[in-house]
Amino acid sequence: VQLQASGGGLVQAGGSLRLSCAASGRIFSISNMAWYRQAPGKQRGLVARITSDGDTHYVDSVKGRFTISRDNVNRTVSLQMNSLKPEDTAVYSCGALVAQDSSLYYNSYWGQGTLVTVSS
């Protein structure tokens, strides 16, 4: 299973970026999908999570600014980031719980990170 993220870059404070992540490989079912971020000198932490039914959860620092969505047919998860702040600067990674067969035994998979830099 591979998760390929894209969409990072440099943006001024107040601007917007959209991150996307596509899952591929041997996939029977995908449960939760999520975005995480790791700022310099800090541990990786959850940004937003979405279930297969579309229920979402956000950390307080991004509520009202970020929106997570997914396309179950195309096996993608996206993160629309608006009103970006310098403190949003981090490497963003996508993750997913994937079952590779009908046993529905789920494992965690991670994509490579994409750098988001927000300038003041």
Side-chain angles (χ1 to χ4, degrees), residues 1 3 9 13 21 29 35 39 46 111-112:
V1 175
L3 298 176
C21 177
S29 174
W35 286 96
L46 176 70
Q112 92 291 353

Side-chain angles (χ1 to χ4, degrees), residues 33-49:
M33 304 184 83
W35 286 96
Y36 293 78
R37 67 185 178 186
Q38 185 169 18
K42 296 186 177 181
Q43 290 188 331
R44 183 172 59 186
L46 176 70
V47 175
R49 180 179 62 238

Side-chain angles (χ1 to χ4, degrees), residues 61-77:
S61 59
V62 307
K63 284 181 179 177
R65 300 189 297 122
F66 291 10
T67 302
I68 189 171
S69 60
R70 65 188 282 173
D71 180 337
N72 290 330
V73 173
N74 293 307
R75 297 171 173 172
T76 60
V77 60

Side-chain angles (χ1 to χ4, degrees), residues 7-13 16-17 84 89 115-120:
L10 173 64
V11 64
Q12 288 188 329
S16 298
L17 279 176
L84 282 161
T89 294
L115 178 62
V116 172
T117 303
V118 185
S119 63
S120 58

